[in-house]
Amino acid sequence: MFTFLKAQASSISASMFDFLITIIGVKFFGWWYLAASIAGTVSGGVLNFYINRNWVFNATSKSIKWQAIKYILVWSGNLLLVTLGVYLLTHFFHLNYVLSKVLVSLVLGTTYNYIMQKQFIFTR
């Protein structure tokens, strides 16, 4: 249970960074909300990998190369799911892009991301 809580703390930190990049991209640089969302997801993913490898799963003794390859595979699925979810909620349900991103990220962070990282990427 403690690992799950640490993973959620890591996810929240990475998500806050993700949202910051997304909002800055839209508000200050005038990017399309999906382009900003992708940039935020990439930035948050890098931060999340670092925190999870070093703190959540204590997996620094294993090869970073294979962990990174596995993470990129899982993260690519996450990127597609987040982008699709944000687009659907924003375009068809007319939600604000930030609210769309929050909702999609909460669902994926507590399900898909945690399970894949624990069972596939940072296995003991």
Side-chain angles (χ1 to χ4, degrees), residues 2-30:
F2 187 58
T3 301
F4 178 77
L5 294 175
K6 287 179 13 179
Q8 296 316 303
S10 172
S11 180
I12 289 168
S13 299
S15 292
M16 288 172 56
F17 188 59
D18 173 350
F19 298 147
L20 178 66
I21 298 300
T22 301
I23 293 167
I24 287 172
V26 171
K27 297 288 185 187
F28 294 104
F29 295 113

Side-chain angles (χ1 to χ4, degrees), residues 46-121:
V46 171
L47 180 62
N48 186 254
F49 176 80
Y50 178 81
I51 294 170
N52 285 352
R53 183 173 195 274
N54 291 290
W55 181 60
V56 175
F57 297 106
N58 296 316
T60 56
S61 63
K62 300 222 175 168
S63 168
I64 191 170
K65 175 184 171 184
W66 291 113
Q67 288 174 340
I69 289 169
K70 289 178 186 179
Y71 188 86
I72 289 168
L73 289 171
V74 170
W75 175 85
S76 294
N78 178 69
L79 176 64
L80 291 171
L81 292 169
V82 167
T83 303
L84 178 62
V86 169
Y87 177 76
L88 292 174
L89 291 176
T90 302
H91 187 74
F92 292 108
F93 294 94
H94 308 291
L95 296 180
N96 176 277
Y97 71 94
V98 176
L99 178 58
S100 297
K101 190 162 179 98
V102 167
L103 294 173
V104 173
S105 296
L106 282 171
V107 170
L108 291 176
T110 56
T111 58
Y112 173 83
N113 289 333
Y114 176 72
I115 293 166
M116 293 301 287
Q117 289 183 34
K118 183 176 182 195
Q119 300 297 325
F120 179 62
I121 299 169

